C-alpha cells in the first residue's frame, strides 16, 4: 500500500445549541459558511486534492464537507455514522484498511471533538495523546505508514487553526 | 505562573553541508533568508509577539532568529548552547522555570532537528512521541500548563510548514 495522508477537519462555526432543538440538525452560521469556504479555497490554492471525503452525518459537519467538495478540494462526501460523535474507531480502522486497498493516497474526515483529537492521538502514540487544540474549521494532517498498524506509528505534519488559512 | 506558549522554530534553508567546512558556520541561503523573512512577516501579521527568543548558536539558527527580531516578532535573540544539536533538555527545563517566574507568556526557540521534535514530544507525551514533521522555517506551537510539570501535560495548537505561511 502507499503511504496515506489523512486530513482531519473539524466542522465550521455553528449556531448555539438549544435544548429545544435536535443538535444533529444545527447548521453552520452564515459566518461559519464563509470562513469554511475561505479555508477550503486556501487549501485548494496550496494544492490539496483529496481522493475521498468521509463526513459525520450531523448537519454542521456535512455542510463543511459539502464546502470542501464545492470548491474542488474533495470528491462528493460520503456520510458515515463512524464520524458522528462517539463513533467507533476500531470499525473505522477496518473501513480504512479496505479503502486503502484501492490505491488511494489522501483521505479527508469531517467530524467533531473530542473524537478527532482522540483518533489523531491513537495514530500518533497508540493512546489518546497528545492533546491537540483543534479549532472549528481547523485541519490536522497525519501520515500513516505504508504497511503495518498505523497506531502509534503515524506522524503529524500539520495542525493549523483556520486563521492561518484566511 | 501564567500559561506559557512555546513556539519552536526550525532554522531556515541553509547551504549543503561540506566535509571541508565547519557545519556550525553554514549560513542560510539567499532563498532561505527570503523565505524565513516571509514566514516571519506572516507571523507578525497574525499577531505573534514573543516575550523572548532563544537561539542555537549555529549560524543558520542565529540568522533565523535575527530575522524574527528584525521584522518585529521577537526581542533581540539570546544564544544558548542548550539549543545547539544535542542540547540538554533537563537543563533547558531549569532555565525555563526561572524565565517563567518573570511573568513572561510567549517564548520562541530556534533550533534543529531532531531535538525540537523530541523536545515537543517530551512536553506532549512525556516521551519522545509523537513524531512531528517539521520543515525548515516551520513552526510548532505548544501550550504549557500554568503549574506543575509540563512533561506529558502540554498541548499542541500549531504545526505549520512554511508554505502555509507564505
Amino acid at each position: 500500500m502507499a503511504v496515506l495522508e489523512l486530513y482531519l477537519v473539524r466542522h465550521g462555526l455553528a449556531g448555539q445549541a438549544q435544548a429545544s432543538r435536535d443538535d444533529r440538525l444545527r447548521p453552520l452560521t452564515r459566518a461559519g459558511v464563509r470562513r469554511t469556504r475561505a479555508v477550503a479555497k486556501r487549501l485548494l490554492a496550496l494544492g490539496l486534492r483529496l481522493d475521498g471525503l468521509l463526513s459525520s452525518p450531523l448537519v454542521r459537519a456535512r455542510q463543511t464537507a459539502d464546502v470542501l467538495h464545492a470548491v474542488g478540494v474533495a470528491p462528493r462526501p460520503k456520510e458515515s455514522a463512524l464520524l458522528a460523535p462517539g463513533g467507533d474507531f476500531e470499525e473505522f480502522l477496518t473501513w480504512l484498511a479496505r479503502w486503502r486497498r484501492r490505491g488511494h493516497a489522501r483521505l479527508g474526515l469531517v467530524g467533531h471533538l473530542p473524537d478527532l483529537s482522540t483518533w489523531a492521538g491513537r495514530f500518533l502514540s497508540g493512546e489518546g495523546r497528545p492533546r491537540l487544540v483543534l479549532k472549528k474549521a481547523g485541519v490536522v494532517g497525519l501520515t500513516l505508514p505504508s504497511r503495518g498498524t498505523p497506531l502509534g506509528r503515524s506522524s503529524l505534519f500539520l495542525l493549523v487553526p483556520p486563521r492561518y488559512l484566511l
Side-chain angles (χ1 to χ4, degrees), chain A residues 6-112:
Chain A
L6 195 58
Y7 289 83
L8 313 184
V9 182
R10 190 176 171 204
H11 65 79
L13 182 69
Q16 290 295 318
Q18 290 177 5
S20 61
R21 291 184 56 190
D22 187 340
D23 182 68
R24 291 169 300 182
L25 303 179
R26 192 151 52 92
L28 299 185
T29 61
R30 199 175 293 203
V33 171
R34 204 166 43 230
R35 181 169 262 235
T36 302
R37 189 175 293 134
V39 164
K41 281 186 175 168
R42 174 79 173 128
L43 293 172
L44 185 81
L46 284 161
L48 183 63
R49 301 292 184 277
L50 299 170
D51 301 313
L53 183 60
L54 216 59
S55 172
S56 149
L58 274 60
V59 165
R60 57 192 183 277
R62 176 58 202 246
Q63 283 182 304
T64 301
D66 284 340
V67 166
L68 288 166
H69 169 58
V71 305
V73 165
R76 195 173 298 281
K78 262 187 68 157
E79 281 184 18
S80 168
L82 297 172
L83 286 169
D88 189 319
F89 183 64
E90 306 300 329
E91 263 189 59
F92 169 72
L93 289 178
T94 306
W95 179 91
L96 183 65
R98 226 168 35 232
W99 187 82
R100 292 182 72 175
R101 267 187 235 117
R102 296 189 225 154
H104 295 316
R106 282 198 187 80
L107 176 66
L109 305 179
V110 182
H112 308 268

